[in-house]
Amino acid sequence: MKAILSIAVGGPETLTLGELPIPPLGAGQVRVAVKACSVNYPDLLVIQDLYQFKPPRPFAPGSDVAGIVASVGDGVRTVRVGDRVLAACGMGGMTEQVVVAEHACIGIPETLPFDVAAALLTTYGTSQYALQQRARLARGETLLVLGAAGGVGLAAVELGKAIGARVVAGASSAAKIAVAMEHGADEGVVYPAGALDRIQAKALADQFKSACGVNGADVIYDPVGGDYTEPALRAIAWDGRLLVVGFPAGIPRIPLNLPLLKSCQIVGVFWGAAAARDPALFRSQLAELLGMYTRGAIRPLVSERFPLERAGEAIACLAGRQAIGKIVVVP
C-alpha cells in the first residue's frame, strides 16, 4: 500500500512516497481504509527525531485518521465492516490503510465529512482536555488563547465559548484574529511575528493586560511558546492557570518569580499520553465532541487539503506557522 515515509531524520523535504506492507490484523483490532488524515505539529517533530517517541524507520507520520472499517479482528464488538469511523492511530496515518485498537476507534455520523472528522481529534481533544481536566475553566472566567487561529488554538476558542468563558484571542495577523472572532472570540490582540526584544515584550504584556481586563486572564492557553509566553504570563490573574501545550516558537524561559507573585499555576498538557492511560476518558471526550459538532457548538475549520503524495508539503505548510485551522491529507 502507498504511504508517505520518513526514511531519514530531517524536515518535510525528506519525506517520500513509497510502499508499506498491509499491516496484519490481530484480535481486538480494526483495519481502517483511510479517507483523511489530519496534520499536527507532532508530525513535524517526529520526522526530526524531536518528539517524545522515536519510531523505527521507515515509518509514516500521521496520528488522526477518518475512514471506513475494512475488516475487524476477533472480539471486536463496537464497530463493523463498512462503518464510518474516527481513529487515533498514534503513528502511520498518512497511508492507505491503518490498524488501530478497537478502543481507539469510534463511529461517526453520515453528516460528518471525513476531512472534518480527522481535523477534530487531536486539536479538539487536546483543547478539551486542557480546558476541562487541566485548567478547570469555569463559566464567567477569562481565557487568553495564543495562536488562536491555528488548529488547537481555534478549538480552544470554540470550546472556551461553549464553557461560557470570555475569550481573548492572540495571533500574528489581523486576518487570523478575524477568523478567531468568527469562531467566538470576544476580543483580539495582534502580536509581532518572530523574536521579541525587551521593549516589544513589555508592550505585548501591556496589550494582553488591557484586553484581559483588570483582573487578568484566569486561564492562558499557550500552544506557541517562545517569546510570547512570558508577556502572556504577566497578564495572568491571581490563582490563574497557564496551560503549556506546545512550542513551535521555541521553549520559553520563565522567570519563576512571576508564578510566585500571582500565586498561579503552570500546567502541562499532554493529551495523547493521557488518552492512552485512560481509554474510557478518551472515548467519553470524543463522544462529547461529536455531540457538540452535531449541535453546531463547534465548527472545525479545514483550510487546506493535500493528496497523499504531497503530504510533505502539508507538513511544511504547518511548520511555516501560516496555517489557519486544520490541514488535512486525503489519500
Side-chain angles (χ1 to χ4, degrees), residues 207-331:
Q207 285 181 276
F208 285 147
K209 290 175 183 178
S210 176
C212 291
V214 64
N215 293 325
D218 298 289
V219 175
I220 298 171
Y221 185 94
D222 182 9
V224 179
D227 290 343
Y228 304 95
T229 302
E230 183 180 333
L233 184 58
R234 290 184 180 276
I236 202 166
W238 177 263
D239 202 26
R241 291 85 78 198
L242 169 67
L243 294 165
V244 180
V245 182
F247 320 105
I251 297 176
R253 296 174 180 268
I254 302 297
L256 289 181
N257 64 310
L258 297 180
L260 184 151
L261 292 172
K262 292 295 184 74
S263 191
C264 66
Q265 304 170 51
I266 298 177
V267 184
V269 178
F270 192 177
W271 175 74
R277 286 169 176 264
D278 191 347
L281 174 64
F282 166 78
R283 291 185 68 82
S284 68
Q285 286 185 317
L286 191 51
E288 182 182 355
L289 289 172
L290 291 173
M292 293 179 73
Y293 173 81
T294 301
R295 299 193 305 272
I298 56 175
R299 297 177 293 125
L301 172 63
V302 178
S303 58
E304 294 190 70
R305 299 161 183 82
F306 289 80
L308 183 61
E309 61 270 20
R310 294 177 57 203
E313 293 178 51
I315 295 176
C317 183
L318 183 71
R321 296 176 59 195
Q322 297 304 310
I324 293 178
K326 288 295 293 180
I327 301 170
V328 173
V329 170
V330 183

Side-chain angles (χ1 to χ4, degrees), residues 124 127 131 137 143-170 177 179-187 221 297-298:
Y124 284 83
S127 297
L131 297 178
L137 179 68
L143 169 66
L144 170 60
V145 179
L146 306 187
V152 290
L154 206 55
V157 168
E158 290 192 338
L159 292 170
K161 287 304 295 181
I163 290 169
R166 175 175 174 267
V167 179
V168 177
I177 292 296
V179 171
M181 300 283 278
E182 289 170 5
H183 284 255
D186 298 287
E187 194 165 347
Y221 185 94
I298 56 175

Side-chain angles (χ1 to χ4, degrees), residues 4-38:
I4 279 292
L5 299 176
S6 174
I7 57 176
V9 180
E13 72 283 354
T14 64
L15 297 174
T16 182
L17 183 66
E19 294 280 339
L20 284 178
I22 294 176
L25 184 66
Q29 293 184 320
V30 178
R31 179 180 287 117
V32 178
V34 178
K35 298 299 182 183
C37 177
S38 71

Side-chain angles (χ1 to χ4, degrees), residues 12-244:
E13 72 283 354
T14 64
L15 297 174
T16 182
L17 183 66
E19 294 280 339
L20 284 178
I22 294 176
L25 184 66
Q29 293 184 320
V30 178
R31 179 180 287 117
V32 178
V34 178
K35 298 299 182 183
C37 177
S38 71
V39 180
N40 297 295
Y41 191 65
D43 296 326
L44 175 65
L45 297 179
V46 74
I47 64 175
Q48 300 176 91
D49 278 359
L50 297 176
Y51 197 53
Q52 291 93 329
F53 310 118
K54 296 180 174 61
R57 289 184 168 83
F59 69 85
S63 58
D64 308 340
V65 301
I68 298 173
V69 175
S71 55
V72 299
D74 292 342
V76 172
R77 298 288 181 266
T78 58
V79 295
R80 297 178 297 179
V81 172
D83 282 356
R84 305 172 82 254
V85 295
L86 177 58
C89 56
M91 195 60 58
M94 293 185 186
T95 185
E96 293 179 315
Q97 294 187 28
V98 68
V99 168
V100 300
E102 180 183 13
H103 67 73
C105 185
I106 190 169
I108 58 175
E110 292 285 343
T111 55
L112 179 57
F114 288 119
D115 57 348
V116 177
L120 185 106
L121 189 54
T122 289
T123 48
Y124 284 83
T126 295
S127 297
Q128 181 189 41
Y129 171 67
L131 297 178
Q132 291 185 355
Q133 272 71 40
R134 302 300 287 147
R136 309 290 180 185
L137 179 68
R139 176 176 297 276
E141 290 190 313
T142 295
L143 169 66
L144 170 60
V145 179
L146 306 187
V152 290
L154 206 55
V157 168
E158 290 192 338
L159 292 170
K161 287 304 295 181
I163 290 169
R166 175 175 174 267
V167 179
V168 177
S172 59
S173 72
K176 290 181 177 181
I177 292 296
V179 171
M181 300 283 278
E182 289 170 5
H183 284 255
D186 298 287
E187 194 165 347
V189 173
V190 178
Y191 46 65
L196 306 180
D197 60 28
R198 183 174 297 180
I199 294 174
Q200 289 174 312
K202 183 181 184 308
L204 181 56
D206 291 341
Q207 285 181 276
F208 285 147
K209 290 175 183 178
S210 176
C212 291
V214 64
N215 293 325
D218 298 289
V219 175
I220 298 171
Y221 185 94
D222 182 9
V224 179
D227 290 343
Y228 304 95
T229 302
E230 183 180 333
L233 184 58
R234 290 184 180 276
I236 202 166
W238 177 263
D239 202 26
R241 291 85 78 198
L242 169 67
L243 294 165
V244 180

